Amino acid sequence: MAIPAVPPGGKATLLVMATTLLLQFALQAAFFPLPALFDATWLGYIDAPFHQYQMELARQLCAEGQSVGYDLFFAAGHLGGVTFNASAKLPALLACITGSPESVSTIYKHFSFWSGVLAPSLLVLTCHLLRLPASVAVVTAILAILFWWTGAMRWYHTAGMVAYVLAAHACIPFAVAAVEACARPTISRIVSLALLAALGFLLHPLFALATALLGLPLLLVDPTATGRPTRALAVAATLVVGMLALNAFWLLDSLSAPSFVTVANPYQREVDPLLPLREALGTASTAAGGSRLYGGLLIGAMLCMTCYRGPRRSTLMALIAAAVLFLLWASLAALLPSLASLQPNRFSALGWLCLLLPAAGGLAATVEQWPASRGVRSEDRRVGK
């Protein structure tokens, strides 16, 4: 016997989101640590020094009124600037605005720190956008923080891939909001989403690809959007055009000059059909390696398919489908050289992240139904069944 889920959380989910932010802030402050935000030292983990170098190069080019220029120290023979800066454009823009070489390390450390604080709460924000029960939002918050500290996203963030980590978390609530706009468009909604899409694309170019792969299954399960496909397509095209137009200040230069990043980047392109299984066991040979928490997310997703009967069930099923799509992409997309340059292995982390909300829904529904199912069994025993 299933019991109905509690009503959508509303203000309760916002309270859960605020609590998630505070808890993640405390954890980040302890492990970053917080005093490091205000000294002159640079972050020195793996990609972080290179991104800070790109920020300093961008600052110098901006002072000369240029977005590209010859880089004397890295990639000799190739243009530097936006053509060689795939994932630090937003902090580089901030460095250009300040104009001070001393600000580069401080800006990057704040960018890294606050991205880590914000990321888990974006999953709770998705619960709020979907009007999921507060119980689901609570479980989502717990899983999101566990995912951050035990999964691939934590490794990527520590390794300096901060922009990708934030973009991966942000694309989930954005895709949900974009599908809602396709189904029920308003001018204010389209304008605000176009601005957010432009910011996401500036943050990391793979934001657009991740949103497209995620948005497709979400769009297919929305009866209002599929009932009027021409309108949905027009809204989606408007968002894409707005995103590209607002990023033309760096995109045109990037398209007109060859990028050393995508041509010579050998990372995150392993082909492995068993990658999801290896990551769930924590034995993957990829950079992040996986996490045993992923097995729990799989169990939660299966419970969602069998037990969850609350609001937006079809959307949670679409997120499971998106997770499968991302995991297939991560495992096999590098078979094509043109796709291998996009580093498909990194998308597995986003695939597991997409399972987080369905797993939370499944776990919350199971906990809610457990007392009722025990009561039914007790009643059966009393009447001799």
Side-chain angles (χ1 to χ4, degrees):
M1 173 183 176
I3 62 174
V6 296
K11 291 182 179 179
T13 56
L14 292 178
L15 179 60
V16 175
M17 182 177 172
T19 304
T20 305
L21 280 168
L22 289 174
L23 178 57
Q24 182 68 357
F25 172 81
L27 292 170
Q28 280 281 93
F31 289 99
F32 194 79
L34 188 63
L37 288 176
F38 306 101
D39 60 34
T41 58
W42 284 40
L43 287 182
Y45 302 115
I46 309 179
D47 286 0
F50 178 69
H51 290 156
Q52 290 165 92
Y53 172 79
Q54 287 297 326
M55 291 170 62
E56 172 59 19
L57 176 61
R59 188 196 64 78
Q60 294 183 22
L61 290 172
C62 285
E64 300 171 3
Q66 303 292 327
S67 63
V68 295
Y70 184 70
D71 186 348
L72 297 177
F73 299 100
F74 284 99
H78 294 268
L79 287 174
V82 295
T83 62
F84 198 54
N85 181 6
S87 55
K89 291 187 177 71
L90 182 57
L93 179 61
L94 295 175
C96 288
I97 293 173
T98 62
S100 167
E102 293 79 14
S103 68
V104 168
S105 63
T106 302
I107 289 172
Y108 187 78
K109 285 187 291 187
H110 276 275
F111 176 60
S112 178
F113 180 85
W114 293 108
S115 294
V117 171
L118 179 62
S121 65
L122 292 174
L123 280 300
V124 186
L125 173 62
T126 309
C127 293
H128 182 72
L129 294 176
L130 292 174
R131 295 184 57 79
L132 293 175
S135 57
V136 177
V138 170
V139 180
T140 297
I142 294 170
L143 290 177
I145 290 177
L146 286 174
F147 189 96
W148 175 266
W149 291 100
T150 67
M153 290 299 185
R154 170 65 177 168
W155 186 91
Y156 285 135
H157 183 267
T158 304
M161 298 168 65
V162 178
Y164 173 73
V165 170
L166 183 57
H169 282 79
C171 76
I172 298 178
F174 177 83
V176 168
V179 169
E180 179 70 17
C182 288
R184 287 161 282 275
T186 64
I187 296 298
S188 60
R189 184 176 286 171
I190 292 172
V191 170
S192 60
L193 284 173
L195 293 173
L196 288 173
L199 181 61
F201 194 50
L202 176 65
L203 176 66
H204 199 287
L206 291 180
F207 174 84
L209 176 59
T211 300
L213 292 176
L214 176 57
L216 181 60
L218 291 173
L219 198 61
L220 291 177
V221 300
D222 191 307
T224 305
T226 54
R228 302 188 65 177
T230 303
R231 183 178 68 180
L233 208 58
V235 172
T238 302
L239 295 180
V240 171
V241 170
M243 176 187 73
L244 297 177
L246 291 171
N247 282 282
F249 70 95
W250 65 265
L251 193 56
L252 293 177
D253 284 329
S254 296
L255 293 175
S256 62
S259 172
F260 184 72
V261 175
T262 56
V263 172
N265 197 326
Y267 306 110
Q268 302 278 356
R269 53 173 66 193
E270 180 180 339
V271 176
D272 183 4
L274 297 178
L275 179 62
L277 176 61
R278 299 189 205 281
E279 289 194 326
L281 295 174
T283 61
S285 60
T286 51
S291 169
R292 289 183 176 88
L293 177 66
Y294 298 166
L297 295 181
L298 287 173
I299 294 172
M302 288 187 286
L303 290 173
C304 182
M305 290 187 285
T306 57
C307 299
Y308 185 81
R309 297 294 181 268
R312 306 303 291 261
R313 172 179 163 81
S314 61
T315 302
L316 296 183
M317 297 301 106
L319 286 172
I320 294 175
V324 173
L325 185 60
F326 279 124
L327 291 173
L328 287 173
W329 175 278
S331 302
L332 302 174
L335 285 169
L336 299 177
S338 58
L339 298 181
S341 64
L342 299 176
Q343 300 185 0
N345 291 160
R346 70 166 71 192
F347 282 86
S348 67
L350 181 52
W352 294 111
L353 194 65
C354 286
L355 280 184
L356 200 145
L357 261 71
L363 292 171
T366 302
V367 170
E368 291 167 1
Q369 294 173 21
W370 179 255
S373 62
R374 291 187 63 187
V376 170
R377 288 196 296 269
S378 298
E379 182 65 25
D380 289 344
R381 285 195 292 268
R382 281 198 297 271
V383 299
K385 291 184 179 180

